[in-house]
Amino acid sequence: MFSKMSLKSIDYLGAVNANPDDFEKLTQVFLEDIEVCNIKVPEFDFGFQWLNVKEKLQFNKDLRGKLCVLDFFTYCCINCMHILPDLHDLEESFSVQDGLVVLGIHSAKFQNEKILSNILSAVIRYDISHPVVNDPNAVLWNEMNIQCWPTLVVVSPIGQVLLYLVGEGHRNFLFNFVEFALKRYGNKGLLSCHALPIQLEKNSLKFKNLRYPGKLTASPCGKMLAVSDSGHHQVLIIERNGNVVKRIGSGFSGLKDGEAHVSQFSSPQGLSWFENVIFVADTENHSIREINVANWITKTIVGNGKQGKDKDGGKLGIEQEISSPWDVVVGASPGSDTTDCVNNCLYIAVAGTHQIWCYFLKDGLWLKKGHQKKEVALRFAGSGEEENRNNSYPTKASFAQPSGLAIIKNQLFVADSESSSIRSVDLKTGAVKGVVGADRDPTNLFSYGDVDGIGLNAKLQHPLDVAAVNGHLYVADSYNHKIKIVNLSNLSCTTLAGNGVVGIKNGDFLSAEFNEPGGIICLDDTIYIADTNNHLIRVLNLTTRLVSTLEILEMDSLDSFPVAVSKTSEKLLVGANTSVTVLDPKKCSLSNHSTFFLHVNLPTGFHYTDEVDSKWQLTLSSEAVIDVKTGTLNKDEISLTIPPGFSFVLIKVELILYMCSENGLCHMKQYVLHQNLINNYDAGNSVVTSFLAF
């Protein structure tokens, strides 16, 4: 019955695509035919769990008089994510009062996705504002003969099934069909303008410093971390002790280049810090961005904000559209001798087309002794089919939503999330092989689990990231809520940390708890985890084998710290200048000393209190404290020398000011300010001066 309906929808869609000028005529005939069939949508089971509503909905009650668009989705699916903007725009164009209701029918692929709290996290993360019902046992899926994610089903105001739309890419057709159907049923008097008991889940949760952090990277010398704060549409620069040095991004979703406070991202994920640039996989903008750490200016280098369907590429920079990039890593270009360590290529996990792409940072070699020009972006591996197919020829291999990347020597390792496996790509030849997980059948994307073992016998569940260090891989086994370790010498995969229970428990490795960890990096004896659904960064100490939580401390920096001196509009003026020397990127250290000076000017009409000294303290740190100096304001020069060996340092300024105004009112103010210093390779021995008013 429903299969015949689906076939009728395919025939109708084909006819409209072939004769778009006859849309209204063809739609009229199609609806008349479908209405005669009178196939009713199955009623919702009372046992179903609901989100974004105060009470459960029923077709024969709450949804009577509404044209309903049912979105059968599962939250891991990249194709399902792609149609969410279309559904959002549809709801903006036609409201519930107009007679349209969009309903999400969550039918899980993975066991982890059947749990309501995990669906709740996805609903908030993807900003879904329509009702969502959890159908964990795929009851409606089976009754209505749904075959794949995503599938849209349109239901009439009297509960008749009208149309099936399978997959993504139906935006314009869907808008036209809904508009026509609303007019048709409105003219028949079958639409109702009544409201629904909407109660958005996103209004019930509060977020502090992080919101669904995605991935991490480290500065070249490992002193700083960058975190994709995906839910806040920002990138955070933090010290390894958790102090926030900088936020890049306005906090509002968008695609905008420029300075840190005005630039915009949309759910950024993967990061790669190379020399003085942080590359960002700006996932929902379908773009690659770069952040210049010398001035924190963001620039788009690949993509233009539109989802690309091109599976070959070859265009330059922003002319080349891509689809949902999920991770990035810098390495030697394909076909090159990786022993030369010429890092001239940015590898991109293009999850939306299930491929690995390259963006050339410089002119470089290509496979079979070919060459590519700087700024070219093109496919490296993956046919574009969603499969787990290994092959000696990279374009004949297939991936299934690659989401994490790491490189050891000439091997690119891929967390292939939908095949629940870790794969490898030889950078010199392009050959794709399996490492652990998945199944021998390349079309079987349901071979998942939580099993320690070797090669194919090991089972993962939707891994999202991988880190490669000294012959080992560390895997964020996201839907198992664990961290796994793979020994590359024998391809054994074992649980390193996590007991598989969703939670925020610290302590010894095997009793710790995570919630869909999505990002992982390893520095020295420490592993940092973006514990996505816990909105935390977790720390695994490989020496003590203990898990802890990194406290993210918002620090007041010289470019963002508001100072309230008094109730007047007077402001404290703080100026800093720095003697800058040239950094050798290969050595990652300074060859000469630098000196930091600070100037404090009181607001107009204020002077230092005579009876007590105002104090200052400067602390210079990178990973550890390097130097501390103290003094008295107006008596001692406020300066600090930066020794050789550091390209990225933080100056902590602590001030205790005692000051009086001309009218005799005196104040004591304490300020903690921070200035991060990044040496500009092109600056030479210049002096950079900035004065900032607060």
Side-chain angles (χ1 to χ4, degrees):
M1 177 175 61
F2 287 107
S3 61
K4 290 182 179 179
M5 295 289 292
S6 181
L7 290 173
K8 284 179 177 288
S9 295
I10 293 172
D11 291 341
Y12 160 60
L13 183 59
V16 170
N17 288 335
N19 304 280
D21 293 338
D22 294 333
F23 173 80
E24 292 195 3
K25 179 181 177 181
L26 290 169
T27 304
Q28 180 74 21
V29 172
F30 172 74
L31 287 177
E32 289 174 354
D33 181 35
I34 290 297
E35 288 166 354
V36 170
C37 297
N38 195 26
I39 306 301
K40 293 288 188 176
V41 64
E43 188 57 89
F44 290 117
D45 188 302
F46 276 102
F48 287 170
Q49 300 165 308
W50 287 80
L51 296 170
N52 281 340
V53 288
K54 296 178 183 177
E55 56 193 52
K56 300 175 181 180
L57 305 180
Q58 294 285 292
F59 282 112
N60 61 11
K61 180 185 174 185
D62 317 84
L63 301 174
R64 189 81 176 177
K66 304 295 185 184
L67 183 75
C68 295
V69 176
L70 312 184
D71 173 26
F72 285 85
F73 78 110
T74 185
Y75 73 77
C76 70
C77 166
I78 193 69
N79 308 91
C80 299
M81 297 178 205
H82 286 164
I83 69 168
L84 289 176
D86 298 345
L87 297 178
H88 175 78
D89 291 346
L90 188 70
E91 293 175 283
E92 289 287 311
S93 300
F94 308 103
S95 67
V96 172
Q97 287 70 32
D98 294 328
L100 176 73
V101 174
V102 176
L103 297 171
I105 314 296
H106 192 273
S107 307
K109 171 184 175 179
F110 294 98
Q111 284 295 121
N112 182 69
E113 294 178 308
K114 295 182 178 182
I115 302 170
L116 185 67
S117 60
N118 296 337
I119 303 171
L120 169 63
S121 292
V123 165
I124 297 173
R125 186 161 69 243
Y126 301 138
D127 197 23
I128 297 174
S129 298
H130 51 253
V132 173
V133 60
N134 180 22
D135 182 10
N137 299 315
V139 174
L140 276 178
W141 174 282
N142 292 320
E143 284 191 41
M144 298 187 68
N145 196 42
I146 306 299
Q147 299 295 314
C148 67
W149 301 279
T151 294
L152 300 177
V153 179
V154 183
V155 178
S156 80
I158 58 174
Q160 293 176 312
V161 177
L162 302 178
L163 179 70
Y164 280 67
L165 293 174
V166 179
E168 56 179 295
H170 301 297
R171 176 188 171 93
N172 292 337
F173 178 85
L174 177 64
F175 271 68
N176 291 336
F177 184 87
V178 165
E179 183 177 20
F180 184 92
L182 287 173
K183 288 181 180 178
R184 175 180 173 82
Y185 293 113
N187 292 335
K188 289 187 173 185
L190 296 177
L191 292 179
S192 171
C193 64
H194 69 270
L196 294 180
I198 302 295
Q199 181 173 284
L200 298 183
E201 305 295 342
K202 64 182 180 182
N203 295 334
S204 64
L205 294 182
K206 302 296 182 184
F207 302 94
K208 192 179 179 183
N209 291 318
L210 295 174
R211 177 173 177 166
Y212 300 107
K215 296 190 185 296
L216 314 96
T217 188
S219 60
C221 292
K223 308 301 182 183
M224 296 285 172
L225 303 178
V227 181
S228 56
D229 190 7
S230 306
H232 286 133
H233 311 291
Q234 293 180 326
V235 175
L236 266 66
I237 309 300
I238 64 174
E239 295 180 291
R240 289 178 64 171
N241 62 8
N243 289 335
V244 177
V245 174
K246 192 75 176 180
R247 281 185 178 268
I248 302 101
S250 68
F252 297 96
S253 177
L255 178 59
K256 188 174 183 179
D257 292 343
E259 297 179 356
H261 65 287
V262 299
S263 60
Q264 292 182 327
F265 303 86
S266 186
S267 298
Q269 285 288 334
L271 305 169
S272 182
W273 196 327
F274 179 66
E275 294 182 351
N276 65 337
V277 171
I278 301 171
F279 296 101
V280 183
D282 196 7
T283 304
E284 293 189 10
N285 274 327
H286 309 289
S287 301
I288 303 298
R289 321 287 292 282
E290 68 171 25
I291 301 168
N292 186 327
V293 298
N295 53 24
W296 302 118
I297 290 178
T298 298
K299 176 184 176 183
T300 303
I301 59 173
V302 181
N304 55 18
K306 298 179 181 178
Q307 182 189 342
K309 294 178 171 50
D310 185 356
K311 295 182 180 180
D312 295 312
K315 297 178 182 177
L316 293 175
I318 60 174
E319 296 177 2
Q320 181 60 60
E321 295 179 352
I322 56 176
S323 178
S324 299
W326 212 273
D327 202 7
V328 287
V329 66
V330 175
S333 63
S336 61
D337 186 351
T338 54
T339 60
D340 293 339
C341 295
V342 179
N343 295 310
N344 57 353
C345 188
L346 182 70
Y347 290 91
I348 309 169
V350 184
T353 54
H354 313 288
Q355 295 174 309
I356 308 300
W357 279 46
C358 291
Y359 171 75
F360 277 78
L361 304 174
K362 304 173 184 176
D363 292 356
L365 294 175
W366 186 243
L367 297 172
K368 298 181 180 180
K369 299 183 179 180
H371 289 80
Q372 295 292 343
K373 293 290 187 180
K374 179 182 178 181
E375 298 184 2
V376 168
L378 75 169
R379 179 259 306 265
F380 169 43
S383 65
E385 296 296 322
E386 188 176 7
E387 296 178 328
N388 172 43
R389 189 176 299 278
N390 297 314
N391 202 290
S392 297
Y393 297 95
T395 58
K396 293 184 181 297
S398 301
F399 296 89
Q401 207 168 306
S403 301
L405 301 175
I407 290 178
I408 295 182
K409 295 182 179 178
N410 68 332
Q411 293 295 311
L412 174 68
F413 294 95
V414 181
D416 201 33
S417 61
E418 283 295 291
S419 68
S420 296
S421 69
I422 304 299
R423 319 272 295 280
S424 70
V425 188
D426 189 292
L427 296 184
K428 193 165 185 178
T429 67
V432 179
K433 297 179 181 180
V435 179
V436 295
D439 188 74
R440 294 188 188 278
D441 179 357
T443 65
N444 180 12
L445 301 182
F446 287 81
S447 181
Y448 64 86
D450 184 7
V451 180
D452 290 349
I454 296 175
L456 288 169
N457 294 323
K459 297 302 174 190
L460 308 171
Q461 188 178 181
H462 203 266
L464 282 176
D465 205 5
V466 58
V469 182
N470 298 329
H472 290 83
L473 304 179
Y474 296 95
V475 179
D477 193 5
S478 304
Y479 285 6
N480 281 325
H481 315 289
K482 290 184 176 183
I483 305 303
K484 302 284 181 73
I485 183 172
V486 178
N487 187 330
L488 290 176
S489 64
N490 60 12
L491 301 188
S492 64
C493 178
T494 55
T495 298
L496 177 68
N499 61 14
V501 176
V502 173
I504 319 180
K505 183 179 178 182
N506 289 322
D508 65 88
F509 275 9
L510 295 181
S511 65
E513 296 172 354
F514 305 92
N515 191 346
E516 292 192 15
I520 183 168
I521 60 168
C522 186
L523 296 173
D524 305 321
D525 64 344
T526 305
I527 296 175
Y528 294 90
I529 306 295
D531 196 6
T532 304
N533 283 358
N534 278 330
H535 318 290
L536 298 172
I537 303 300
R538 312 291 291 282
V539 183
L540 281 63
N541 188 308
L542 295 174
T543 301
T544 64
R545 297 186 67 81
L546 293 176
V547 177
S548 60
T549 297
L550 183 66
E551 185 179 2
I552 304 299
L553 301 173
E554 288 290 354
M555 296 168 58
D556 307 310
S557 64
L558 283 175
D559 60 352
S560 63
F561 183 68
V563 178
V565 176
S566 67
K567 294 182 180 180
T568 70
S569 60
E570 299 293 347
K571 295 181 177 180
L572 179 70
L573 187 67
V574 177
N577 61 48
T578 309
S579 175
V580 182
T581 58
V582 179
L583 174 73
D584 181 353
K586 295 181 181 178
K587 297 181 180 179
C588 200
S589 63
L590 290 167
S591 57
N592 298 307
H593 290 78
S594 299
T595 305
F596 171 82
F597 300 91
L598 184 76
H599 308 280
V600 178
N601 296 324
L602 298 183
T604 303
F606 281 82
H607 61 271
Y608 288 109
T609 305
D610 295 329
E611 293 80 10
V612 61
D613 289 333
S614 293
K615 304 285 188 178
W616 60 265
Q617 177 173 295
L618 299 183
T619 304
L620 175 65
S621 63
S622 183
E623 180 179 1
V625 173
I626 302 168
D627 193 14
V628 179
K629 287 188 67 175
T630 60
T632 301
L633 284 162
N634 251 9
K635 294 182 181 179
D636 304 309
E637 178 185 67
I638 308 178
S639 66
L640 196 60
T641 298
I642 304 169
F646 297 93
S647 61
F648 194 116
V649 295
L650 184 74
I651 304 290
K652 181 179 181 181
V653 181
E654 298 172 87
L655 302 175
I656 302 179
L657 301 183
Y658 297 90
M659 51 189 174
C660 298
S661 64
E662 293 175 348
N663 60 11
L665 293 177
C666 295
H667 306 265
M668 189 279 286
K669 296 289 182 181
Q670 288 184 283
Y671 306 116
V672 179
L673 315 174
H674 294 83
Q675 174 71 68
N676 50 289
L677 302 177
I678 304 165
N679 288 279
N680 187 336
Y681 304 153
D682 300 322
N685 291 316
S686 62
V687 175
V688 178
T689 304
S690 59
F691 288 92
L692 301 107
F694 302 97

